[in-house]
Amino acid sequence: MVGPVAIRSSFGQLFSVSKVLASGGSRPTQSFSPDATANHPMDRRRKQLIIISCLFLAIGTSVLYSSVARHPFIDFDDQYYVTNNAILQAGLNWKVFIWSFNAGYAQNWHPLTWLSHALDCQLYGLNPAGHHLTNLVLHVLNVVILFLLLLGATGAIGRSLLVAALFAIHPLNVETVAWVAERKSTLSTFFFLLALGAYGWYAHSPNLKRYLALAALFLLGLAAKPMVITLPFVLLLLDFWPLKRIQGWDPLSAPSRKAHEPDEKVGFKKSASKPDSAFSQASFSRLVLEKLPLLALCAGSAALTIVAQRTVAIRSLESFPINVRLENAIYAYAMYLWKAFWPTQLAVYYPHPGNTLAAWRVAVAALFLAAACVLVWRERWTRQYLVTGWLWYLGVMVPVIGLVQVGDQARADRYAYIPLIGIFVMAVWGATDWADSKRIGFGWRVATAAIILAVLSLLTARQIGYWRSEYDLWTHDLEVAPGSPLAISNLGDALNKMGRAEEALPFLEKSVRLLPADSVRHGNLAVDLVQCSRLQDAIPEYEAAISLTREPAVQSHYYESLAAVYDALEDYPKVRSNYRQALKVNPERTADMVQWLTQSVAAKPSAPRYVELGILLQETGKLSEARAAYEQALKLDPKLKQATEYLAALAQKEK
């Protein structure tokens, strides 16, 4: 019962925070308090402005991303999450519920994400439009919630609106919204932001009920994607600014500030000896202790994630030594920032440079990050938003920065979805302070913001367009990273699906040369070779794929494909031996194999294929059906010796 209550309560607080902002000051006097609204009448114009801002964000974001409803699924993780996941395609049921919590499938433990995909399958089937629209709705909700959170914590409508707008339309976030498999990011962020709202509610008047609401929302976020594991750290940052809950850390009482010294640039007033705080305050150590129960949830989530990823996804120190990880992490931090301010040449996959990253690049990145840290430290009392924004960016990025290397990518746009909120806050609040100091008028500010948002919208619209097909996506990826093995392979796959097998062949052959230990690359090349009628060349590729994979279901599929190749070559003993191996490594696929081959033979009947079907049926113990298949083969080709021999052997066996 806690979960629904928590969600309902957080929504209530989010949509009531603006009711206490009549004064227009830098801080609300009773934020997050439903009771306070009765004692603070709202200015009608301000209320209308807040509603219009929410509608502007929701409608603008929806229009910009509306084209995703016409996009297909992408055979890049979408097959694990939807298109090839027969369990989730059944919709919501107890079997799916239990599987979601027990599965480490796709190298992740995120049961809530699995359940959301199952719900989509129940509602929309395999129509990609519905799945894409769910992602878009979640993104729109995240945008509006972010605006209301910033508004409730700071009282600054314009700045909160601009931060939310940047979050809504920034090109780096396209990957998260336009990719069905990234549901985990939009969904986890939804609960992450609601948890922040619940924390504001709790911080106003701490009690067990409100803390449990916070914990429940955090748990839901972890169950969607473990990246939100940094929430306790984020809450401490919010305690510093804008909630100002840490006793003795007031800017005016800080030792580096002259007592009660006015500072017009940041809005401190000479007459105020202490800022008016709407939130309960405590010592720093007390606030740290307050977060310990949440850290226990973090530990549990981390353990489950490691178990899910340890066998396949997490790379060893031999593959990526610690010095390589540190160098790439420093460079990645700088590159995310560069792309935040110059968001062009974005790709789905950035290959990890390994030990080839130039030392000067790492040095420049390190110097830049160090300089930023020094600047933030110097301004820690006068511009506290810089501390929160910068440490938000650095800290929230830690789980995905590559110190624990998962996969072979150097970085990913989707990892910046939450972290860049900190940078947006720094940029917007900093630009406003600068504009105030220069006495720049309101009209110029609006015009500048409009131009920035217009440019970002155009870049985002272009980036969304790359997701309209696999061919467009991987062609663009290859332009950004010409040597990317994944882009080369996936472009070849896309060409193959378009019926352009000959064009796909050089890409798939190159991907095998670049990734000789990758079973998927060998398997994809084998498929293309078969379509190019190079059956003998396909056999060693299938055999390599079988030897390189440890997943029984995948091995079984490759054995099944090998059987089909040998059937085309009329090498029936090999057909039998490969079907036997397929059934041995994964007996659970028996019914699926029989059903698929039966339907395939019925669609394109031939004597050799009926022999193949007879062999499979015989290996599964369906002797009468096998006999019927052999007899059908002889009807189509009475001279087919193998059908006669197998039919006679079967008759002898039945005696």
Side-chain angles (χ1 to χ4, degrees):
M1 295 297 292
V2 174
V5 170
I7 296 173
R8 185 169 62 251
S9 297
S10 292
F11 268 121
Q13 309 321 311
L14 285 168
F15 289 100
S16 66
V17 291
S18 58
K19 296 181 180 180
V20 298
L21 300 176
S23 64
S26 62
R27 296 180 55 78
T29 56
Q30 295 291 333
S31 295
F32 297 98
S33 173
D35 300 325
T37 60
N39 300 322
H40 294 266
M42 172 178 283
D43 176 77
R44 181 174 299 176
R45 184 172 175 274
R46 185 176 179 83
K47 179 179 180 180
Q48 290 174 344
L49 185 58
I50 293 170
I51 294 173
I52 291 171
S53 298
C54 291
L55 291 174
F56 166 76
L57 291 169
I59 295 172
T61 307
S62 299
V63 170
L64 181 61
Y65 277 94
S66 60
S67 63
V68 299
R70 299 187 295 275
H71 290 183
F73 291 113
I74 299 295
D75 197 12
F76 182 54
D77 285 2
D78 282 1
Q79 70 272 29
Y80 302 120
Y81 284 87
V82 182
T83 56
N84 291 347
N85 194 319
I87 295 175
L88 297 187
Q89 289 173 16
L92 287 175
N93 55 55
W94 276 110
K95 180 181 178 182
V96 168
F97 185 83
I98 294 171
W99 177 87
S100 297
F101 280 86
N102 292 333
Y105 188 61
Q107 292 83 56
N108 278 295
W109 186 85
H110 44 32
L112 198 60
T113 295
W114 292 128
L115 293 173
S116 77
H117 283 298
L119 178 60
D120 273 6
C121 287
Q122 184 167 321
L123 295 174
Y124 315 118
L126 292 181
N127 180 358
H131 297 259
H132 280 297
L133 288 176
T134 299
N135 266 18
L136 176 52
V137 168
L138 285 169
H139 180 56
V140 170
L141 288 173
N142 291 341
V143 169
V144 173
I145 292 171
L146 176 61
F147 166 66
L148 292 174
L149 286 174
L150 286 169
L151 177 61
T154 68
I157 291 182
R159 281 171 280 184
S160 301
L161 177 62
L162 185 52
V163 169
L166 290 171
F167 176 70
I169 67 172
H170 199 282
L172 273 174
N173 290 341
V174 169
E175 182 176 302
T176 301
V177 184
W179 187 8
V180 170
E182 269 308 296
R183 170 71 51 76
K184 51 186 176 284
S185 292
T186 54
L187 186 62
S188 62
T189 302
F190 174 70
F191 287 109
F192 175 85
L193 294 174
L194 285 182
L196 295 186
Y199 184 69
W201 184 41
Y202 165 81
H204 172 72
S205 180
N207 59 51
L208 180 60
K209 172 187 172 183
R210 298 186 179 195
Y211 195 91
L212 288 177
L214 163 64
L217 289 166
F218 181 39
L219 186 60
L220 289 171
L222 291 172
K225 185 180 181 180
M227 184 175 170
V228 298
I229 199 171
T230 54
L231 178 75
F233 165 76
V234 170
L235 298 183
L236 280 175
L237 293 179
L238 298 183
D239 287 339
F240 177 72
W241 183 92
L243 304 187
K244 299 185 179 181
R245 296 189 65 206
I246 308 176
Q247 287 179 348
W249 285 27
D250 181 274
L252 293 176
S253 62
S256 60
R257 302 272 297 168
K258 295 179 181 179
H260 312 290
E261 181 181 356
D263 190 338
E264 297 299 330
K265 290 188 292 183
V266 293
F268 296 131
K269 297 180 179 179
K270 188 173 182 178
S271 60
S273 62
K274 183 178 180 180
D276 188 20
S277 177
F279 304 97
S280 65
Q281 292 191 328
S283 65
F284 180 74
S285 59
R286 173 68 180 80
L287 293 174
V288 170
L289 290 174
E290 183 183 70
K291 313 300 187 292
L292 289 183
L294 301 180
L295 291 176
L297 296 179
C298 294
S301 176
L304 289 168
T305 301
I306 290 172
V307 169
Q309 296 182 339
R310 63 181 177 180
T311 57
V312 178
I314 295 180
R315 299 299 187 255
S316 66
L317 286 173
E318 289 75 18
S319 301
F320 293 94
I322 190 64
N323 65 303
V324 169
R325 299 182 187 213
L326 288 171
E327 290 170 359
N328 182 71
I330 292 169
Y331 186 66
Y333 268 123
M335 285 304 298
Y336 282 121
L337 284 173
W338 171 249
K339 294 299 182 181
F341 290 94
W342 194 260
T344 60
Q345 295 293 296
L346 304 180
V348 178
Y349 181 78
Y350 304 96
H352 199 292
N355 59 5
T356 65
L357 189 59
W360 71 267
R361 292 180 181 272
V362 179
V364 170
L367 286 173
F368 172 77
L369 296 174
C373 289
V374 170
L375 173 64
V376 168
W377 177 254
R378 289 180 59 185
E379 300 290 332
R380 65 191 182 279
W381 300 119
T382 56
R383 292 175 176 84
Q384 292 178 297
Y385 56 81
L386 292 178
V387 175
T388 295
W390 183 242
L391 294 183
W392 175 305
Y393 169 67
L394 295 179
V396 175
M397 191 71 82
V398 166
V400 290
I401 201 62
L403 298 178
V404 177
Q405 184 66 38
V406 178
D408 297 321
Q409 71 283 342
R411 62 185 189 277
D413 294 353
R414 59 190 177 274
Y415 294 160
Y417 191 62
I418 299 178
L420 283 187
I421 293 173
I423 301 302
F424 296 151
V425 168
M426 294 175 69
V428 172
W429 257 259
T432 303
D433 278 356
W434 179 83
D436 288 344
S437 69
K438 300 298 181 181
R439 301 184 182 278
I440 294 175
F442 179 74
W444 285 106
R445 300 185 193 206
V446 172
T448 302
I451 292 171
I452 292 172
L453 294 178
V455 171
L456 289 177
S457 296
L458 291 174
L459 293 173
T460 293
R462 185 178 67 174
Q463 193 68 25
I464 293 170
Y466 296 134
W467 289 84
R468 62 180 171 262
S469 74
E470 292 184 21
Y471 176 79
D472 291 299
L473 182 64
W474 297 114
T475 298
H476 173 69
D477 240 51
L478 205 53
E479 292 172 354
V480 175
S484 168
L486 185 67
I488 292 169
S489 176
N490 287 353
L491 180 56
D493 293 342
L495 288 166
N496 178 278
K497 293 173 188 175
M498 296 166 69
R500 298 158 62 177
E502 292 290 348
E503 293 179 59
L505 193 55
F507 291 100
L508 296 173
E509 288 176 332
K510 186 175 182 179
S511 73
V512 167
R513 291 195 299 271
L514 292 171
L515 297 170
D518 191 323
S519 64
V520 175
R521 311 307 155 202
H522 287 279
N524 292 346
L525 175 57
V527 170
D528 197 70
L529 288 167
V530 169
Q531 294 181 3
C532 292
S533 300
R534 293 172 54 179
L535 301 183
Q536 291 290 355
D537 293 333
I539 292 172
E541 297 301 331
Y542 275 129
E543 290 174 342
I546 290 169
S547 66
L548 291 169
T549 185
R550 291 176 289 177
E551 298 182 30
V554 178
Q555 282 186 330
S556 176
H557 171 72
Y558 289 143
Y559 276 122
E560 187 181 356
S561 299
L562 257 180
V565 171
Y566 282 118
D567 178 71
L569 295 171
E570 298 186 5
D571 188 344
Y572 295 107
K574 292 288 183 66
V575 174
R576 186 179 298 277
S577 66
N578 278 283
Y579 271 130
R580 191 169 290 167
Q581 283 297 115
L583 295 168
K584 179 181 178 181
V585 297
N586 192 19
E588 296 178 358
R589 287 199 67 241
T590 299
D592 291 337
M593 274 192 276
V594 170
Q595 181 182 7
W596 181 87
L597 187 56
T598 301
Q599 293 173 349
S600 177
V601 172
K604 293 183 178 180
S606 69
R609 299 216 67 198
Y610 270 107
V611 172
E612 180 187 0
L613 177 59
I615 291 172
L616 175 59
L617 290 167
Q618 188 175 348
E619 290 299 319
T620 60
K622 299 181 179 182
L623 302 185
S624 60
E625 295 177 37
R627 183 173 60 253
Y630 293 141
E631 290 172 349
Q632 186 63 33
L634 287 173
K635 287 181 181 179
L636 295 174
D637 184 2
K639 296 181 180 180
L640 188 57
K641 182 177 66 173
Q642 287 81 3
T644 303
E645 291 176 356
Y646 291 151
L647 193 58
L650 188 59
Q652 185 68 29
K653 188 175 182 180
E654 290 177 332
K655 288 182 179 180

